[in-house]
Amino acid sequence: MSGRIAWLARRAARILCVLLLGAGPAWAADAPIPRIVTHDGRHALLVDGKPFLILGAQVNNSSAWPAMLADVWPAIEQMHANTVEVPMAWGQVEPQEGHFDFSFLDTLLHQARAHHVRLVLLWFGTWKNTSPNYAPSWVKLDNRRFPRVITRDGRMLNVLSPYAKSTLDADRTAFVAFMTHLRKVDGARHTVIMVQVENESGMYGNDRDYSDAANHLFDGPVPAALLQALGKSPGNWTQVFGKDAAVDFSAWSISHYINQIAQAGKAVYDLPMYANAALRDPLKPGPPGSYPSGGPSDNVIPIWRATAPSLDLVAPDIYFPDYARYMAVLDHYARADNPLFVPETGNAAAYARYVYAVLGHGAIGFSPFGMDFTRYTNYPLGASAKDGAARVAPFAPSYRVLESVDRILAQASFDGRLWGASEPTATHEQTLDLGAWKVRLGYGQPQFGEVPPKGNPSPEGGALIARLAPNEYLVTGRNVRVSFEPGAGHKGIHFLYDHVEEGHYQHGHWVFRREWNGDQTDYGLNFTDQPTVLRVRLGTY
């Protein structure tokens, strides 16, 4: 109870401060609109004109109501997240056709500003986990006007067809109204830095729609623009794509549909936009329909990137707790033509360490799901604990440290000066190649003594290393030993930790706390379960 009272006191103080100052957060002033930029195959999300790292937290789907926000903010504060992902349901925005209600959006913006966090809004429209459950009743109960997908054997799925112009027009109209209102109330402040368009689109249990409209297009020619983008010769879908024709056709159909919605939304307010994917197994993929056929799964990323240019990226929702599959997904989605962003991942403790590998892959952000105190759990995808504080706890130590260096890491990532890794399970050590230097990461070693790494009792280690200058690095990690060595071609060189400072950044300036030497550096840099930030200067003799 005392923690709740303390949080309420801090919240009251913050709100009073905002009211007295009459302004809001420091970033509330008129600033450049957020955008995604690319250079030499690396990507950055620019917020207020500078690279920004999303240390995110996605709330539970049903927490997107005014009365539920009191269960959101304490979790966000405890987690040290700088960005909150919140659904914006079509049925909530347009409960009656042509009558719009943006009261929740207005409430959310006001409270997010008071809590000094950014927002990513998730448009739940035609698709939410493939179904229309978040569409308004006047849409999801009118199958004649808004038809559903038909299977090969004539059954009807609870999935809206991407070939119905009436559905596209209605969804697009609502999304444009939403983006228009968002620009009006946030266009100068940019509390909202990105928008997800639809949610986990596609269809389970089917490879494509077999309605008459779909069959007509499937038997016709593949669009010339797609052929050109993929370097393929003309023909119908079966002729061009062979055994993959059905799923590739679905991917083109759904990405074309979502692109039209995103394009119309950007025309009124040009925020970065993305589509998220429910994944297929990256190591042992099943057939289309065992995963959402047509959604932006790894096998159809080129089709989505070619067909949906109004989307800045496609992003994986990762619920594979094992190391091999998680890394495989990152490798699939971290592309020169696709900025990596993990907008949703499991909230079990095993997922917390992956923030290090995700950022080490050049991602613009990372966000676990279900970060609030509503006592809902999506176990077995996530943690079994209904206590929200217990779910937040594994993520909070790393976020607490990373929030103080997020802008520095974001710039280093965009410049190609950032490396990171998470604890594997098949081995207990890794090597990172930094060019002039290499780094050995050991997991499950004591802070003192040359003891072989044996792995942590549960895999929870990770490290991030950013080069600040030649021979100077910013290092942070959790439950890991970080040991620098001269890089390739420098055998026989003697090296030492010339200077190791522990501290933190405040307003972009380094604040020294203490120096590490002797016992603290004789056996590498040993990070415990409470991460810290080190500035490391290396030397040779």
Side-chain angles (χ1 to χ4, degrees):
M1 182 62 69
S2 60
R4 176 70 172 173
I5 293 172
W7 174 80
L8 288 171
R10 289 193 298 271
R11 180 187 179 200
R14 284 179 175 177
I15 295 174
L16 178 60
C17 180
V18 169
L19 293 174
L20 290 175
L21 293 176
W27 40 262
D30 211 345
I33 190 171
R35 62 190 180 99
I36 289 178
V37 294
T38 299
H39 178 69
D40 289 342
R42 298 185 298 272
H43 314 280
L45 169 63
L46 300 187
V47 176
D48 298 336
K50 298 180 294 183
F52 181 85
L53 196 63
I54 294 176
L55 299 175
Q58 184 173 154
V59 304
N60 284 299
N61 297 157
S62 295
S63 295
W65 296 93
M68 301 307 298
L69 292 177
D71 289 321
V72 169
W73 303 123
I76 302 309
E77 183 170 286
Q78 179 177 317
M79 189 174 173
H80 297 272
N82 64 17
T83 305
V84 187
E85 297 180 18
V86 183
M88 198 62 52
W90 182 6
Q92 185 180 28
V93 165
E94 192 184 11
Q96 295 180 337
E97 187 169 8
H99 296 276
F100 296 99
D101 180 359
F102 298 111
S103 58
F104 172 65
L105 174 58
D106 295 340
T107 297
L108 177 64
L109 287 169
H110 174 75
Q111 294 190 21
R113 291 167 186 163
H115 287 89
H116 302 272
V117 295
R118 304 282 185 163
L119 294 171
V120 173
L121 299 182
L122 319 177
W123 179 250
F124 289 1
T126 299
W127 290 280
K128 198 288 171 188
N129 295 9
T130 76
S131 81
N133 289 347
Y134 282 74
S137 295
W138 56 269
V139 171
K140 61 187 177 184
L141 299 181
D142 188 350
N143 203 63
R144 181 180 297 275
R145 183 180 171 192
F146 306 107
R148 284 167 165 78
V149 166
I150 303 299
T151 66
R152 184 192 296 268
D153 57 3
R155 293 179 294 108
M156 184 183 297
L157 295 181
N158 187 29
V159 180
L160 293 176
S161 172
Y163 309 104
K165 183 178 182 299
S166 54
T167 310
L168 171 62
D169 288 346
D171 193 339
R172 178 169 51 195
T173 297
F175 187 69
V176 167
F178 156 64
M179 292 300 296
T180 300
H181 183 81
L182 181 59
R183 180 194 62 194
K184 177 182 177 182
V185 297
D186 196 48
R189 304 184 69 163
H190 307 137
T191 312
V192 178
I193 57 175
M194 196 151 57
V195 174
Q196 176 184 294
V197 189
E198 309 298 337
N199 184 85
E200 295 187 356
S201 60
M203 62 195 81
Y204 286 105
N206 208 36
D207 54 6
R208 72 171 180 89
D209 188 356
Y210 286 85
S211 64
D212 290 342
N215 290 339
H216 176 74
L217 288 172
F218 184 77
D219 293 335
V222 176
L226 181 59
L227 293 173
Q228 183 178 3
L230 301 181
K232 292 185 176 291
S233 300
N236 64 30
W237 286 90
T238 301
Q239 292 168 337
V240 173
F241 294 102
K243 64 181 178 59
D244 297 322
V247 68
D248 290 348
F249 173 68
S250 289
W252 170 79
S253 303
I254 294 173
S255 60
H256 179 60
Y257 181 109
I258 291 178
N259 182 69
Q260 293 177 81
I261 294 174
Q263 183 179 39
K266 281 196 165 193
V268 297
Y269 189 24
D270 192 15
L271 282 177
M273 295 186 185
Y274 70 96
N276 65 327
L279 304 176
R280 65 177 194 161
D281 189 317
L283 301 181
K284 297 180 179 180
S290 64
Y291 61 91
S293 180
S297 49
D298 65 85
N299 52 321
V300 293
I301 293 176
I303 293 176
W304 272 78
R305 299 305 289 136
T307 308
S310 293
L311 296 176
D312 295 88
L313 61 128
V314 293
D317 292 351
I318 311 181
Y319 287 93
F320 300 114
D322 63 291
Y323 179 84
R325 283 178 172 78
Y326 210 105
M327 294 304 108
V329 172
L330 299 184
D331 290 339
H332 282 314
Y333 285 84
R335 299 163 48 111
D337 66 346
N338 190 69
L340 177 63
F341 175 42
V342 179
E344 184 177 331
T345 195
N347 56 33
Y351 291 95
R353 75 191 195 272
Y354 288 126
V355 64
Y356 296 100
V358 169
L359 300 185
H361 272 71
I364 64 171
F366 172 87
S367 182
F369 175 78
M371 293 292 126
D372 56 42
F373 289 168
T374 60
R375 298 187 62 79
Y376 173 80
T377 173
N378 65 344
Y379 180 80
L381 287 180
S384 59
K386 293 183 179 180
D387 180 5
R391 292 197 303 273
V392 166
F395 298 87
S398 297
Y399 269 43
R400 178 181 57 80
V401 169
L402 294 176
E403 71 171 343
S404 69
V405 293
D406 54 355
R407 291 284 191 171
I408 295 169
L409 297 179
Q411 185 66 60
S413 179
F414 190 44
D415 295 340
R417 299 183 284 107
L418 182 67
W419 298 265
S422 300
E423 181 173 1
T425 47
T427 181
H428 304 310
E429 54 187 338
Q430 298 158 306
T431 299
L432 301 179
D433 184 359
L434 280 56
W437 300 90
K438 65 180 180 180
V439 169
R440 284 188 295 110
L441 304 179
Y443 302 97
Q445 294 175 283
Q447 291 180 268
F448 190 89
E450 285 293 353
V451 178
K454 60 181 180 180
N456 290 302
S458 59
E460 55 188 14
L464 278 169
I465 300 139
R467 187 176 68 243
L468 301 177
N471 300 327
E472 187 173 347
Y473 295 87
L474 183 73
V475 185
T476 188
R478 186 181 188 200
N479 288 323
V480 62
R481 176 180 289 185
V482 178
S483 301
F484 280 84
E485 298 175 355
H490 293 84
K491 291 184 178 179
I493 283 183
H494 298 282
F495 99 100
L496 50 71
Y497 294 101
D498 181 28
H499 204 62
V500 178
E501 290 185 358
E502 176 186 329
H504 67 277
Y505 281 88
Q506 187 171 356
H507 306 302
H509 299 287
W510 176 250
V511 178
F512 171 84
R513 184 184 183 200
R514 64 171 175 165
E515 184 177 350
W516 283 22
N517 51 30
D519 291 348
Q520 280 73 43
T521 59
D522 286 345
Y523 301 99
L525 309 174
N526 291 279
F527 293 88
T528 67
D529 59 353
Q530 293 301 313
T532 188
V533 178
L534 301 177
R535 283 182 65 127
V536 179
R537 189 168 68 231
L538 305 171
T540 60
Y541 62 94

PDB file of all heavy atoms in Angstrom, residues 251-268:
ATOM      1  N   ALA A 251      -0.601 -12.298 -49.455  1.00  0.00           N
ATOM      2  CA  ALA A 251       0.292 -11.241 -48.971  1.00  0.00           C
ATOM      3  C   ALA A 251       0.135  -9.979 -49.812  1.00  0.00           C
ATOM      4  O   ALA A 251       0.082  -8.859 -49.273  1.00  0.00           O
ATOM      5  CB  ALA A 251       1.735 -11.728 -49.001  1.00  0.00           C
ATOM      6  N   TRP A 252       0.063 -10.140 -51.127  1.00  0.00           N
ATOM      7  CA  TRP A 252      -0.140  -8.975 -51.993  1.00  0.00           C
ATOM      8  C   TRP A 252      -1.492  -8.320 -51.698  1.00  0.00           C
ATOM      9  O   TRP A 252      -1.588  -7.092 -51.582  1.00  0.00           O
ATOM     10  CB  TRP A 252      -0.071  -9.374 -53.468  1.00  0.00           C
ATOM     11  CG  TRP A 252      -0.513  -8.260 -54.375  1.00  0.00           C
ATOM     12  CD1 TRP A 252       0.213  -7.177 -54.762  1.00  0.00           C
ATOM     13  CD2 TRP A 252      -1.808  -8.114 -54.952  1.00  0.00           C
ATOM     14  NE1 TRP A 252      -0.540  -6.353 -55.561  1.00  0.00           N
ATOM     15  CE2 TRP A 252      -1.793  -6.901 -55.696  1.00  0.00           C
ATOM     16  CE3 TRP A 252      -2.986  -8.869 -54.931  1.00  0.00           C
ATOM     17  CZ2 TRP A 252      -2.907  -6.447 -56.402  1.00  0.00           C
ATOM     18  CZ3 TRP A 252      -4.087  -8.415 -55.626  1.00  0.00           C
ATOM     19  CH2 TRP A 252      -4.044  -7.222 -56.356  1.00  0.00           C
ATOM     20  N   SER A 253      -2.526  -9.125 -51.559  1.00  0.00           N
ATOM     21  CA  SER A 253      -3.881  -8.596 -51.366  1.00  0.00           C
ATOM     22  C   SER A 253      -3.988  -7.793 -50.075  1.00  0.00           C
ATOM     23  O   SER A 253      -4.515  -6.676 -50.046  1.00  0.00           O
ATOM     24  CB  SER A 253      -4.890  -9.751 -51.338  1.00  0.00           C
ATOM     25  OG  SER A 253      -4.810 -10.520 -52.517  1.00  0.00           O
ATOM     26  N   ILE A 254      -3.479  -8.366 -48.971  1.00  0.00           N
ATOM     27  CA  ILE A 254      -3.613  -7.708 -47.672  1.00  0.00           C
ATOM     28  C   ILE A 254      -2.694  -6.506 -47.567  1.00  0.00           C
ATOM     29  O   ILE A 254      -3.078  -5.452 -47.045  1.00  0.00           O
ATOM     30  CB  ILE A 254      -3.361  -8.723 -46.543  1.00  0.00           C
ATOM     31  CG1 ILE A 254      -4.472  -9.785 -46.545  1.00  0.00           C
ATOM     32  CG2 ILE A 254      -3.288  -8.035 -45.185  1.00  0.00           C
ATOM     33  CD1 ILE A 254      -4.253 -10.932 -45.592  1.00  0.00           C
ATOM     34  N   SER A 255      -1.462  -6.624 -48.081  1.00  0.00           N
ATOM     35  CA  SER A 255      -0.550  -5.477 -48.022  1.00  0.00           C
ATOM     36  C   SER A 255      -1.050  -4.335 -48.897  1.00  0.00           C
ATOM     37  O   SER A 255      -0.906  -3.157 -48.542  1.00  0.00           O
ATOM     38  CB  SER A 255       0.863  -5.895 -48.433  1.00  0.00           C
ATOM     39  OG  SER A 255       0.899  -6.414 -49.747  1.00  0.00           O
ATOM     40  N   HIS A 256      -1.663  -4.650 -50.017  1.00  0.00           N
ATOM     41  CA  HIS A 256      -2.241  -3.617 -50.890  1.00  0.00           C
ATOM     42  C   HIS A 256      -3.388  -2.907 -50.176  1.00  0.00           C
ATOM     43  O   HIS A 256      -3.510  -1.669 -50.241  1.00  0.00           O
ATOM     44  CB  HIS A 256      -2.727  -4.271 -52.181  1.00  0.00           C
ATOM     45  CG  HIS A 256      -3.359  -3.319 -53.157  1.00  0.00           C
ATOM     46  ND1 HIS A 256      -2.692  -2.245 -53.706  1.00  0.00           N
ATOM     47  CD2 HIS A 256      -4.615  -3.284 -53.674  1.00  0.00           C
ATOM     48  CE1 HIS A 256      -3.500  -1.587 -54.527  1.00  0.00           C
ATOM     49  NE2 HIS A 256      -4.679  -2.197 -54.521  1.00  0.00           N
ATOM     50  N   TYR A 257      -4.211  -3.663 -49.487  1.00  0.00           N
ATOM     51  CA  TYR A 257      -5.336  -3.108 -48.720  1.00  0.00           C
ATOM     52  C   TYR A 257      -4.822  -2.180 -47.614  1.00  0.00           C
ATOM     53  O   TYR A 257      -5.261  -1.032 -47.482  1.00  0.00           O
ATOM     54  CB  TYR A 257      -6.123  -4.281 -48.137  1.00  0.00           C
ATOM     55  CG  TYR A 257      -7.350  -3.948 -47.317  1.00  0.00           C
ATOM     56  CD1 TYR A 257      -8.620  -4.219 -47.810  1.00  0.00           C
ATOM     57  CD2 TYR A 257      -7.249  -3.439 -46.022  1.00  0.00           C
ATOM     58  CE1 TYR A 257      -9.762  -3.970 -47.041  1.00  0.00           C
ATOM     59  CE2 TYR A 257      -8.368  -3.183 -45.260  1.00  0.00           C
ATOM     60  CZ  TYR A 257      -9.623  -3.455 -45.769  1.00  0.00           C
ATOM     61  OH  TYR A 257     -10.745  -3.205 -45.003  1.00  0.00           O
ATOM     62  N   ILE A 258      -3.868  -2.682 -46.820  1.00  0.00           N
ATOM     63  CA  ILE A 258      -3.368  -1.889 -45.691  1.00  0.00           C
ATOM     64  C   ILE A 258      -2.595  -0.680 -46.181  1.00  0.00           C
ATOM     65  O   ILE A 258      -2.646   0.403 -45.560  1.00  0.00           O
ATOM     66  CB  ILE A 258      -2.517  -2.782 -44.770  1.00  0.00           C
ATOM     67  CG1 ILE A 258      -3.426  -3.805 -44.067  1.00  0.00           C
ATOM     68  CG2 ILE A 258      -1.747  -1.954 -43.740  1.00  0.00           C
ATOM     69  CD1 ILE A 258      -2.702  -4.786 -43.165  1.00  0.00           C
ATOM     70  N   ASN A 259      -1.907  -0.813 -47.302  1.00  0.00           N
ATOM     71  CA  ASN A 259      -1.190   0.349 -47.840  1.00  0.00           C
ATOM     72  C   ASN A 259      -2.147   1.488 -48.166  1.00  0.00           C
ATOM     73  O   ASN A 259      -1.827   2.666 -47.943  1.00  0.00           O
ATOM     74  CB  ASN A 259      -0.417  -0.050 -49.103  1.00  0.00           C
ATOM     75  CG  ASN A 259       0.376   1.114 -49.662  1.00  0.00           C
ATOM     76  OD1 ASN A 259       1.348   1.565 -49.065  1.00  0.00           O
ATOM     77  ND2 ASN A 259      -0.052   1.617 -50.816  1.00  0.00           N
ATOM     78  N   GLN A 260      -3.321   1.163 -48.681  1.00  0.00           N
ATOM     79  CA  GLN A 260      -4.282   2.218 -49.025  1.00  0.00           C
ATOM     80  C   GLN A 260      -4.783   2.940 -47.779  1.00  0.00           C
ATOM     81  O   GLN A 260      -5.013   4.155 -47.795  1.00  0.00           O
ATOM     82  CB  GLN A 260      -5.446   1.611 -49.803  1.00  0.00           C
ATOM     83  CG  GLN A 260      -5.038   1.098 -51.181  1.00  0.00           C
ATOM     84  CD  GLN A 260      -6.193   0.437 -51.912  1.00  0.00           C
ATOM     85  OE1 GLN A 260      -7.039   1.114 -52.505  1.00  0.00           O
ATOM     86  NE2 GLN A 260      -6.238  -0.886 -51.875  1.00  0.00           N
ATOM     87  N   ILE A 261      -4.921   2.217 -46.687  1.00  0.00           N
ATOM     88  CA  ILE A 261      -5.326   2.851 -45.432  1.00  0.00           C
ATOM     89  C   ILE A 261      -4.201   3.734 -44.897  1.00  0.00           C
ATOM     90  O   ILE A 261      -4.413   4.894 -44.520  1.00  0.00           O
ATOM     91  CB  ILE A 261      -5.726   1.784 -44.404  1.00  0.00           C
ATOM     92  CG1 ILE A 261      -6.995   1.056 -44.878  1.00  0.00           C
ATOM     93  CG2 ILE A 261      -5.958   2.401 -43.030  1.00  0.00           C
ATOM     94  CD1 ILE A 261      -7.404  -0.108 -44.014  1.00  0.00           C
ATOM     95  N   ALA A 262      -2.975   3.197 -44.882  1.00  0.00           N
ATOM     96  CA  ALA A 262      -1.831   3.974 -44.399  1.00  0.00           C
ATOM     97  C   ALA A 262      -1.596   5.202 -45.273  1.00  0.00           C
ATOM     98  O   ALA A 262      -1.323   6.301 -44.763  1.00  0.00           O
ATOM     99  CB  ALA A 262      -0.584   3.095 -44.373  1.00  0.00           C
ATOM    100  N   GLN A 263      -1.708   5.037 -46.562  1.00  0.00           N
ATOM    101  CA  GLN A 263      -1.491   6.158 -47.479  1.00  0.00           C
ATOM    102  C   GLN A 263      -2.479   7.288 -47.220  1.00  0.00           C
ATOM    103  O   GLN A 263      -2.105   8.467 -47.191  1.00  0.00           O
ATOM    104  CB  GLN A 263      -1.623   5.657 -48.921  1.00  0.00           C
ATOM    105  CG  GLN A 263      -1.351   6.709 -49.989  1.00  0.00           C
ATOM    106  CD  GLN A 263      -1.487   6.133 -51.389  1.00  0.00           C
ATOM    107  OE1 GLN A 263      -2.389   5.321 -51.662  1.00  0.00           O
ATOM    108  NE2 GLN A 263      -0.593   6.517 -52.273  1.00  0.00           N
ATOM    109  N   ALA A 264      -3.733   6.938 -47.005  1.00  0.00           N
ATOM    110  CA  ALA A 264      -4.745   7.958 -46.739  1.00  0.00           C
ATOM    111  C   ALA A 264      -4.488   8.634 -45.394  1.00  0.00           C
ATOM    112  O   ALA A 264      -4.662   9.850 -45.248  1.00  0.00           O
ATOM    113  CB  ALA A 264      -6.140   7.324 -46.756  1.00  0.00           C
ATOM    114  N   GLY A 265      -4.067   7.862 -44.386  1.00  0.00           N
ATOM    115  CA  GLY A 265      -3.760   8.443 -43.082  1.00  0.00           C
ATOM    116  C   GLY A 265      -2.568   9.366 -43.144  1.00  0.00           C
ATOM    117  O   GLY A 265      -2.569  10.467 -42.555  1.00  0.00           O
ATOM    118  N   LYS A 266      -1.535   8.971 -43.870  1.00  0.00           N
ATOM    119  CA  LYS A 266      -0.344   9.808 -43.989  1.00  0.00           C
ATOM    120  C   LYS A 266      -0.627  11.093 -44.769  1.00  0.00           C
ATOM    121  O   LYS A 266       0.048  12.106 -44.563  1.00  0.00           O
ATOM    122  CB  LYS A 266       0.783   9.030 -44.668  1.00  0.00           C
ATOM    123  CG  LYS A 266       1.504   8.069 -43.740  1.00  0.00           C
ATOM    124  CD  LYS A 266       2.820   7.623 -44.339  1.00  0.00           C
ATOM    125  CE  LYS A 266       3.701   6.973 -43.290  1.00  0.00           C
ATOM    126  NZ  LYS A 266       5.086   6.787 -43.731  1.00  0.00           N
ATOM    127  N   ALA A 267      -1.596  11.038 -45.638  1.00  0.00           N
ATOM    128  CA  ALA A 267      -1.931  12.233 -46.411  1.00  0.00           C
ATOM    129  C   ALA A 267      -2.418  13.365 -45.510  1.00  0.00           C
ATOM    130  O   ALA A 267      -2.254  14.543 -45.850  1.00  0.00           O
ATOM    131  CB  ALA A 267      -2.989  11.901 -47.463  1.00  0.00           C
ATOM    132  N   VAL A 268      -2.996  13.014 -44.363  1.00  0.00           N
ATOM    133  CA  VAL A 268      -3.458  14.058 -43.439  1.00  0.00           C
ATOM    134  C   VAL A 268      -2.483  14.290 -42.296  1.00  0.00           C
ATOM    135  O   VAL A 268      -2.426  15.394 -41.733  1.00  0.00           O
ATOM    136  CB  VAL A 268      -4.867  13.736 -42.884  1.00  0.00           C
ATOM    137  CG1 VAL A 268      -5.879  13.716 -44.007  1.00  0.00           C
ATOM    138  CG2 VAL A 268      -4.890  12.437 -42.100  1.00  0.00           C
TER     139      VAL A 268
END
